[in-house]
């Protein structure tokens, strides 16, 4: 669970800073609703974040045990999310 706590904390912090969504104080459901309502948040990325948050919730609350390969894949997905949505050079984060 600690791995997914840390991984989702990083994603939530990034979303909070990049899109001015209070992701660190929201439940997974609230965060997903906020990403869908946010005009600048790419909708295909919302689906990817949803998948990560659901898995993290299963690990934290239902005691699911992900495989090492699953953990590696989710880390790569989180990193890819940041890379795909980061501000371009000269562009500032959206307040």
């Amino acid at each position: 669970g600690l791995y997914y706590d840390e991984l989702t904390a990083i994603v939530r912090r990034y979303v909070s800073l990049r899109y001015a969504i209070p992701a660190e104080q929201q439940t997974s459901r609230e965060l997903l609703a906020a990403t869908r309502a946010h005009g600048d948040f790419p909708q295909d990325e919302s689906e990817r974040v949803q998948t990560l948050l659901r898995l993290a919730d299963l690990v934290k609350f239902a005691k699911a045990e992900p495989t090492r390969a699953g953990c590696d894949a989710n880390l790569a997905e989180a990193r890819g999310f940041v890379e795909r949505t980061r501000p371009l050079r000269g562009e500032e984060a959206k307040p």
Side-chain angles (χ1 to χ4, degrees):
L2 182 58
Y3 177 84
Y4 280 96
D5 284 344
E6 294 293 326
L7 184 59
T8 57
I10 292 166
V11 170
R12 285 172 178 276
R13 177 80 173 142
Y14 172 77
V15 169
S16 179
L17 293 171
R18 173 71 169 100
Y19 295 101
I21 294 172
E24 295 167 291
Q25 292 83 37
Q26 294 177 319
T27 65
S28 295
R29 183 174 292 189
E30 291 168 337
L31 172 55
L32 294 170
T35 63
R36 290 186 180 111
H38 195 285
D40 292 325
F41 198 97
Q43 292 308 299
D44 56 330
E45 296 299 335
S46 184
E47 298 298 321
R48 290 183 172 123
V49 169
Q50 177 180 9
T51 300
L52 176 62
L53 293 177
R54 280 190 179 161
L55 178 57
D57 285 349
L58 284 174
V59 171
K60 290 190 281 186
F61 302 119
K63 305 299 183 208
E65 293 190 27
T67 64
R68 171 65 187 227
C71 290
D72 291 345
N74 287 302
L75 175 60
E77 184 60 38
R79 180 177 285 141
F81 163 68
V82 171
E83 290 296 320
R84 289 186 300 271
T85 60
R86 70 180 180 181
L88 300 175
R89 184 167 277 164
E91 179 187 7
E92 293 187 25
K94 311 273 191 247

